[in-house]
Amino acid sequence: EAGVTQFPSHSVIEKGQTVTLRCDPISGHDNLYWYRRVMGKEIKFLLHFVKESKQDESGMPNNRFLAERTGGTYSTLKVQPAELEDSGVYFCASSRYRDGETQYFGPGTRLLVL
Amino acid sequence: KQEVTQIPAALSVPEGENLVLNCSFTDSAIYNLQWFRQDPGKGLTSLLLIQSSQREQTSGRLNASLDKSSGRSTLYIAASQPGDSATYLCAVRGYGQNFVFGPGTRLSVLP
C-alpha cells in the first residue's frame, strides 16, 4: 500500500509569487489533513477534509491560503501571494476515520519564500 | 487552549541505555495521544497511539504510558540503538478537535 505522497518536495519562490502544493493521501482514506511547521516552532494544524468537504479550517493563517480537495481524492494547498513568513515545511496526513485512528504523514514540502 | 510541552529538548545517550521521553499537556480532557518520530528531512512516522481509556501501549522496544489526571505521557525506549536517533514528537487530540503537537525531543544514540 502506497503511503501519503506530497509534491513538490522542495519549492523556492520569491515573495509575491504563487505556489501550489499537492498531497495524495492513502487510497481509501476519507480524512485528509494539512499541517505546517515554521522555523523553530511546533507543527501546527491548518485544516481537515472529510472527502471533498472542509471539516475544519480553523488553522488556516489567512485568506492567502486556499485548500481544495477535488472529488475527495488528492488535495492542493495554494499560497497566493506568498510572503516571507510562509516559509516552512508543509505536511499532509490522512486517516480512514477521523477519530481513534493513526494519522499517516507524508514527507512534507519544504517551502522557502525569498 | 491545549498546550503540549516535551522534556528534555535534546538527549544524548550511549547505545544500549534505556531512556524515557516526557510529554506534558495542560488540558486533561483528551481523546487520544500519539507519539511520532521524525528523521531529518523526512515526514513523521507514527510510533504509538494511546486512546484516552488506555494506560499504555507497547510496540517492540517502545512503551508509551498515559496518565490523563496528571497530564503526562512517557515514551520508554529499551536498549537504545543508533537507529533510534531522531526527533520524537508527542501530539494530543481533544474531543472533536485536531492534534496539538509538542516541540519534540531530539535524541542522539551514540555507538
Side-chain angles (χ1 to χ4, degrees), chain A residues 69-87:
Chain A
R69 190 180 182 194
T70 307
T73 55
Y74 70 91
S75 174
T76 58
L77 180 64
K78 180 191 289 187
V79 185
Q80 178 183 30
E83 298 289 343
L84 301 179
E85 63 265 25
D86 300 333
S87 296

Side-chain angles (χ1 to χ4, degrees), chain B residues 65-111:
Chain B
S65 68
L66 174 63
D67 183 345
K68 284 197 308 178
S69 61
S70 66
R72 293 180 58 188
S73 175
T74 60
L75 179 66
Y76 175 82
I77 302 177
S80 59
Q81 302 171 357
D84 296 330
S85 298
T87 296
Y88 289 79
L89 297 161
C90 165
V92 174
R93 173 188 275 163
Y95 290 90
Q97 299 178 0
N98 292 288
F99 274 129
V100 176
F101 279 82
T105 293
R106 191 167 60 254
L107 173 65
S108 295
V109 181
L110 307 175

Side-chain angles (χ1 to χ4, degrees), chain A residues 44-72:
Chain A
K44 296 285 190 184
F45 165 80
L46 296 179
L47 88 158
H48 168 213
F49 283 100
V50 177
K51 298 186 180 179
E52 68 276 7
S53 299
K54 292 177 186 175
Q55 185 76 14
D56 181 351
E57 51 184 330
S58 60
M60 295 287 263
N62 51 61
N63 58 12
R64 295 185 294 102
F65 289 75
L66 175 63
E68 295 179 325
R69 190 180 182 194
T70 307

Side-chain angles (χ1 to χ4, degrees), chain A residues 6 10 33 35 37 40-45 47-48 56-58 89 91 95 97-108 110, chain B residues 1 4 31-32 34 36 38-46 48-49 51 87 89 93-104:
Chain A
Q6 294 186 245
H10 295 79
Y33 309 82
Y35 295 86
R37 173 179 248 171
K41 301 285 189 179
E42 293 85 356
I43 295 173
K44 296 285 190 184
F45 165 80
L47 88 158
H48 168 213
D56 181 351
E57 51 184 330
S58 60
V89 183
F91 293 103
S95 66
Y97 306 112
R98 187 198 190 285
D99 295 321
E101 192 177 78
T102 297
Q103 290 188 14
Y104 296 89
F105 278 71
R110 282 144 189 82
Chain B
K1 178 187 170 187
V4 181
Y31 188 79
N32 57 34
Q34 193 161 354
F36 296 87
Q38 184 178 21
D39 295 281
K42 302 289 181 64
L44 279 65
T45 300
S46 176
L48 291 164
L49 173 69
Q51 306 294 349
T87 296
L89 297 161
R93 173 188 275 163
Y95 290 90
Q97 299 178 0
N98 292 288
F99 274 129
V100 176
F101 279 82

Side-chain angles (χ1 to χ4, degrees), chain A residues 2-49:
Chain A
V4 178
T5 58
Q6 294 186 245
F7 182 83
S9 59
H10 295 79
S11 181
V12 181
I13 62 173
E14 294 187 351
K15 176 183 173 180
Q17 290 186 322
T18 297
V19 62
T20 300
L21 314 180
R22 172 169 171 148
C23 168
D24 286 78
I26 293 172
S27 178
H29 282 194
D30 288 341
N31 293 273
L32 186 150
Y33 309 82
W34 283 98
Y35 295 86
R36 176 174 77 167
R37 173 179 248 171
V38 297
M39 183 72 74
K41 301 285 189 179
E42 293 85 356
I43 295 173
K44 296 285 190 184
F45 165 80
L46 296 179
L47 88 158
H48 168 213
F49 283 100

